[in-house]
Amino acid sequence: MTWQPFYVGDGRPRDVDLGAPPPWRSFPRAPLHRQFQPPEGLVNAVNAALALRRPLLVTGAAGSGKSTVIEQVAAELKLGHVLRWHITSRSTLTDALYRYDALGRIHAQRLERSDGSDDIAPFLRLGPLGTALLPTPQPRALLIDEIDKSDLDLPSDLLDVLERGEFEIPELARYEEDIVQVREWGGDDRHPVSRGRVECSAFPFIVMTSNGERDFPAAFLRRCVRYRMPMPTAASLRRVVEAHLEIDAEHSGPVDTLIAGFVERLAANESLAVDQLLNAVHVLTGTAAPGEADEREVMELILRELSRA
């Protein structure tokens, strides 16, 4: 089969079979905890964070598997589904703790003025961090992804919550009812909150990821167990590839050549992600692999340096 089995560019409608997608692009997304290959030292870093009840700050290049660490830990230790807080420059601590729809409540009060009802619960929802701090027998797993993308003050804002393991919802602290059932993040389960206080009983397992694009305050760093993802080697990348894809004898040599070239480019400080390598191997070894005339161009497209548009 040639490299153009789908789109030809002649504008003629045709029925096509796109075949199976890469395993990591099947939807709904399947967890990758079985495929993840922890690099040297990461297991000890995770165990130290678990023993000390401290967040684990994982630094490394994009696509190096930082955010997959917590999936494997949560699966192995039966910590439930992973709560996720993806950081942007607009992220705030309050939004991570809880969300309150004040306008929605005012609108409901106007509509229900005749019967005098005023239930605040439908307008409150815990955020990912707030849900992780609910009292539970087992710790919850929380991913704080790309914390280096945050506003400069956010890491410092986190310190008190991470130290005390509790927070207050002011709207509930002054509410007439002592106990309010509040929805958790990512689901419809409700949990009782007494006088607006949420206090954890088992400190959550928190993984914070960083691409290394900024420095953090010393006060923040000393409250974390820190781990830097090592530079991949040809052997470690081969294990990653084999964990995701079956490589037959016919393609073993070309895959090793592709991996060796990838490692050389990393050593030359080119910005590349491991998932780019997986994409390239999937195309190279697929039934619709490009022929000799197209292979170089296709590989250059897939393995284009991340610092280039």
Side-chain angles (χ1 to χ4, degrees), residues 150-203:
S150 72
D151 175 85
L152 290 176
D153 293 331
L154 181 59
S156 298
D157 293 343
L158 274 169
L159 293 181
D160 185 61
V161 173
L162 295 181
E163 279 298 289
R164 298 173 61 85
E166 62 181 33
F167 67 97
E168 181 182 77
I169 302 175
E171 291 81 2
L172 291 185
R174 54 179 179 262
Y175 188 59
E176 58 187 16
E177 301 290 339
D178 287 343
I179 297 177
V180 176
Q181 300 287 333
V182 182
R183 287 180 299 163
E184 68 172 32
W185 182 258
D188 290 324
D189 289 345
R190 296 176 180 270
H191 302 269
V193 175
S194 177
R195 301 309 304 165
R197 300 295 303 176
V198 176
E199 302 173 320
C200 76
S201 54
F203 190 77

Side-chain angles (χ1 to χ4, degrees), residues 19-34:
W24 53 91
R25 293 299 295 168
S26 297
F27 296 90
R29 295 290 296 273
L32 299 174
H33 58 270
R34 293 186 181 275

Side-chain angles (χ1 to χ4, degrees), residues 113-309:
R113 186 177 299 169
S114 58
D115 61 15
S117 63
D118 180 25
D119 185 5
I120 195 175
F123 308 101
L124 276 169
R125 187 168 203 155
L126 294 173
L129 177 57
T131 300
L133 292 174
L134 285 168
T136 53
Q138 280 283 93
R140 296 296 301 268
L142 170 67
L143 174 66
I144 304 178
D145 202 20
E146 297 191 333
I147 192 169
D148 51 338
K149 298 287 196 303
S150 72
D151 175 85
L152 290 176
D153 293 331
L154 181 59
S156 298
D157 293 343
L158 274 169
L159 293 181
D160 185 61
V161 173
L162 295 181
E163 279 298 289
R164 298 173 61 85
E166 62 181 33
F167 67 97
E168 181 182 77
I169 302 175
E171 291 81 2
L172 291 185
R174 54 179 179 262
Y175 188 59
E176 58 187 16
E177 301 290 339
D178 287 343
I179 297 177
V180 176
Q181 300 287 333
V182 182
R183 287 180 299 163
E184 68 172 32
W185 182 258
D188 290 324
D189 289 345
R190 296 176 180 270
H191 302 269
V193 175
S194 177
R195 301 309 304 165
R197 300 295 303 176
V198 176
E199 302 173 320
C200 76
S201 54
F203 190 77
F205 175 61
I206 300 174
V207 171
M208 297 183 284
T209 71
S210 168
N211 292 331
E213 297 179 359
R214 60 176 278 195
D215 296 325
F216 296 103
F220 174 78
L221 292 177
R222 75 176 178 84
R223 289 170 168 83
C224 303
V225 174
R226 288 168 282 161
Y227 177 83
R228 180 174 291 276
M229 299 292 278
M231 180 72 73
T233 64
S236 67
L237 289 175
R238 177 72 191 217
R239 289 193 297 271
V240 170
V241 169
E242 290 176 342
H244 288 85
L245 298 165
E246 294 184 7
I247 307 301
D248 56 31
E250 176 187 357
H251 293 109
S252 184
V255 167
D256 285 338
T257 300
L258 189 63
I259 291 174
F262 188 85
V263 171
E264 288 179 4
R265 293 178 64 184
L266 290 177
N269 292 323
E270 290 193 45
S271 180
L272 296 167
V274 175
D275 55 355
Q276 288 177 277
L277 175 64
L278 291 173
N279 291 337
V281 173
H282 177 75
V283 169
L284 182 66
T285 60
T287 56
E292 293 182 5
D294 297 313
E295 181 177 320
R296 181 175 178 179
E297 181 180 355
V298 172
M299 290 297 110
E300 287 180 353
L301 284 169
I302 296 174
L303 296 170
R304 188 177 180 88
E305 190 177 7
L306 297 176
S307 60
R308 298 162 58 192

